[in-house]
Amino acid sequence: MHPIRAFFALRPSQRDHLPAARIALSVAVPLAALVAAGRADLGIYAAFGAFTSIYARHEPLRARVRHQGRAGLLMVLCVALGAALNGLPQAVVLAVTAVAAGLGAVAAAHWTLKPAGSLFFVFAVGAVGSLEHAAPMGEAVLVAALSAALSVALGAASRWSGEGVTGPVAPVAEHHGLTAGQLWAHGGRFLLATSAAGALGSAGGLSHAYWAMVAAAAPIAAPDLGARMQRGVHRVVGTLGGVGVSAAVLAVPLQQWHVVALVVLFQFLAELFVGRNYCVALLFITPLALLMTQLAHPAPAGELLQARAVETVIGVLCGLAVVHLTRTAQERELSGPSRRGRRPGAPGPRGRRRTPPAPRG
């Protein structure tokens, strides 16, 4: 498919309403309970625990429980790490977040977690570590753990709705298929990209420098070079569109219950489209992230919107630069000038038939 046509393509639905409803419910229950209890300040920890539900969509029951259990453990550890960083200088928070990005990517690849990469781990460590008025670590970890456990339970119960049983069933790899060197090189890309993004984002003087790190991790998680480049462009265009949606939402005075309802709605819509067109999904992911931030620590809307737009551009540029610089020899050949005009599968310079590698995951 032509790159421009692929950019606007909306893939067919794969019964996405089932995991979207499950994920939205995983977010709604703990947030509603906390607001009802007068502890909306703990909502950000519950939301990160609920991100456990994003993993293993459409996978068979046993694989889903196993993968969500591991993802939930990683999310809770990231919340704990972020809570331990509260009060430390921003440079320390960003440096530790970059290390978590690399190690999280290695763990996700080793356990064949889907979605791949460490975007959610970066988000959790960076956001929690940057909170100005943080909850005690015990409360933060407990809320995140309970929320993650609920997500795993709902993931197991979703077999009754047919997810992973009928309709689309995601294949589950028995092994990640990477050598130890490839695995650590994969994590190194995340470490390098997020380190550069965090440093540049912080130097820019805007708030929420960790958003640049999240944006840097986004394109690297895609399965091949072409998909990474498209993911980066999607991230920028979709986020800028999402900033417009966020501006409209934040222009209206919102009570805590309104914020919770909007978070759940945007979570549902994001999951409904994330597998069909990443750019469209970001129209909902962006206000979702900003509302989560507002729920934990309200700030002027203009400051948030500006930071989200600029930090995203910085982060994506860093991610794409690392993707380009760390291309494999095969990827360099496939994207090089000698490839132009050659039919897929045509003999290469040495007479061997060369076909693009099948996307992994």
Side-chain angles (χ1 to χ4, degrees), residues 142-164:
L142 177 61
V143 169
L146 291 175
S147 183
L150 174 64
S151 295
V152 176
L154 290 176
S158 66
R159 67 182 298 268
W160 300 109
S161 67
E163 184 184 354

Side-chain angles (χ1 to χ4, degrees), residues 43-69:
I44 191 168
Y45 310 110
F48 284 126
F51 281 174
T52 299
S53 60
I54 293 174
Y55 289 85
R57 61 191 293 160
H58 292 310
E59 291 186 4
L61 177 61
R62 290 185 180 180
R64 187 184 311 130
V65 171
R66 180 174 70 252
H67 284 155
Q68 287 190 342

Side-chain angles (χ1 to χ4, degrees), residues 20-360:
R22 169 176 58 78
I23 294 166
L25 184 61
S26 298
V27 173
V29 171
L31 287 185
L34 288 171
V35 170
R39 294 303 308 270
D41 58 303
L42 298 177
I44 191 168
Y45 310 110
F48 284 126
F51 281 174
T52 299
S53 60
I54 293 174
Y55 289 85
R57 61 191 293 160
H58 292 310
E59 291 186 4
L61 177 61
R62 290 185 180 180
R64 187 184 311 130
V65 171
R66 180 174 70 252
H67 284 155
Q68 287 190 342
R70 291 169 174 173
L73 174 62
L74 290 174
M75 290 304 306
V76 173
L77 288 176
C78 287
V79 168
L81 179 58
L85 295 172
N86 285 137
L88 296 179
Q90 184 187 52
V92 175
V93 175
L94 298 181
V96 174
T97 302
V99 173
L103 295 178
V106 171
H110 179 74
W111 282 335
T112 64
L113 299 182
K114 302 296 179 187
S118 57
L119 185 151
F120 297 107
F121 310 140
V122 174
F123 191 11
V125 176
V128 174
S130 301
L131 289 175
E132 294 184 12
H133 306 288
M137 179 184 288
E139 289 186 359
V141 172
L142 177 61
V143 169
L146 291 175
S147 183
L150 174 64
S151 295
V152 176
L154 290 176
S158 66
R159 67 182 298 268
W160 300 109
S161 67
E163 184 184 354
V165 179
T166 60
V169 178
V172 180
E174 295 182 3
H175 191 269
H176 51 75
L178 302 173
T179 65
Q182 290 172 327
L183 200 59
W184 287 107
H186 177 66
R189 293 187 188 97
F190 282 86
L191 172 62
L192 179 59
T194 55
S195 296
L200 291 176
S202 179
L206 296 173
S207 62
H208 303 83
Y210 65 87
W211 278 342
M213 305 177 77
V214 173
I220 307 175
D224 55 50
L225 182 62
R228 289 167 190 157
M229 301 301 290
Q230 179 174 294
R231 177 72 63 87
V233 177
H234 270 184
R235 185 81 191 188
V236 172
V237 175
T239 296
L240 294 180
V243 166
V245 176
S246 302
V249 171
L250 294 176
V252 179
L254 298 174
Q255 298 179 5
Q256 288 181 341
W257 280 108
H258 300 151
V259 174
V260 170
L262 286 171
V263 164
V264 174
L265 174 62
F266 285 132
Q267 185 74 69
F268 175 79
L269 292 174
E271 297 305 322
L272 200 61
F273 287 99
V274 71
R276 304 179 66 190
N277 186 296
Y278 189 53
C279 185
V280 173
L282 280 160
L283 297 177
F284 311 113
I285 292 172
T286 302
L288 167 65
L290 295 179
L291 287 170
M292 282 177 53
T293 302
Q294 288 291 74
L295 195 61
H297 180 63
E303 175 186 326
L304 283 179
L305 297 172
Q306 181 186 24
R308 183 71 178 188
V310 176
E311 302 285 9
T312 295
V313 174
I314 291 173
V316 167
L317 290 177
C318 290
L320 292 182
V322 169
V323 164
H324 180 77
L325 293 173
T326 60
R327 290 173 297 167
T328 65
Q330 187 178 27
E331 287 172 337
R332 291 177 187 275
E333 181 181 350
L334 289 172
S335 61
S338 62
R339 182 70 181 176
R340 294 173 187 168
R342 189 188 306 160
R343 299 187 311 275
R350 297 183 184 179
R352 188 174 69 236
R353 292 182 64 86
R354 301 175 185 270
T355 56
R360 187 188 304 274

